[in-house]
Amino acid sequence: MELIALAMLGSVAFGIAATFILRRYFPRKIEDDYTYVLRSADGKKTTVFLPPDLPEAEQQQRMRQAYEKLGLPALPHYPAPMPSGDTNPWRMHRHTTKAFRNGDFQAIQIPPEIAYGRPDIDLEIQRIGDELRIRPARAAEQA
């Protein structure tokens, strides 16, 4: 019994020490959460830094440059990569809005700080459980 208690105490002490060492000597940088690696089909890769407060025009320019580096074809609107599952969710900005009726449709207003730069952009809406995902329509689907 004492051996089990001693092993548990050692495990807790190791966890605390490892956490301290990681945070002290390997601090997480804000860039870690917003740096994305893009890969082409032939194996080339490049990184893009896209903080959430970056205006959409600049996001599009950075994505355009990354696509050019990879030799990928130009797009009318570049998709922004989604944060990976290990991104700290408390650093992701959340916005709220209200739904309202517009004739037979339900509509929302997108806050200006996250709205798309062009008002004439075609959007794709996908329902996943109780969530709605809105993103620019892909070029092939727009034709």
Side-chain angles (χ1 to χ4, degrees), residues 2-141:
E2 292 147 4
L3 187 59
I4 293 173
L6 188 60
M8 288 175 63
L9 182 62
S11 175
V12 169
F14 176 78
I16 292 171
T19 302
F20 171 77
I21 290 169
L22 283 172
R23 289 188 179 159
R24 173 94 168 111
Y25 297 104
F26 304 100
R28 189 174 178 109
K29 299 181 294 256
I30 190 77
E31 297 85 32
D32 293 344
D33 286 341
Y34 306 114
T35 301
Y36 303 95
V37 177
L38 302 178
R39 290 182 176 86
S40 64
D42 61 356
K44 292 187 217 170
K45 67 180 182 178
T46 189
T47 58
V48 182
F49 177 61
L50 297 174
D53 56 348
L54 191 68
E56 192 198 354
E58 195 168 335
Q59 278 187 0
Q60 291 297 305
Q61 180 179 351
R62 288 184 183 186
M63 290 297 291
R64 186 177 304 108
Q65 290 168 347
Y67 271 55
E68 287 172 4
K69 277 185 188 176
L70 295 174
L72 297 173
L75 298 174
H77 187 85
Y78 293 88
M82 294 297 291
S84 63
D86 62 346
T87 299
N88 185 343
W90 298 108
R91 290 188 181 167
M92 296 175 68
H93 298 283
R94 298 192 184 271
H95 300 274
T96 58
T97 188
K98 295 230 184 250
F100 59 93
R101 300 297 290 172
N102 185 2
D104 290 337
F105 295 94
Q106 187 176 25
I108 62 165
Q109 291 181 335
I110 299 175
E113 59 270 13
I114 62 169
Y116 291 102
R118 298 181 0 224
D120 64 338
I121 189 168
D122 289 330
L123 299 173
E124 175 182 298
I125 301 174
Q126 180 182 18
R127 182 178 202 99
I128 302 171
D130 64 344
E131 294 182 7
L132 294 176
R133 178 179 291 169
I134 302 172
R135 61 179 164 228
R138 292 186 178 94
E141 295 171 3

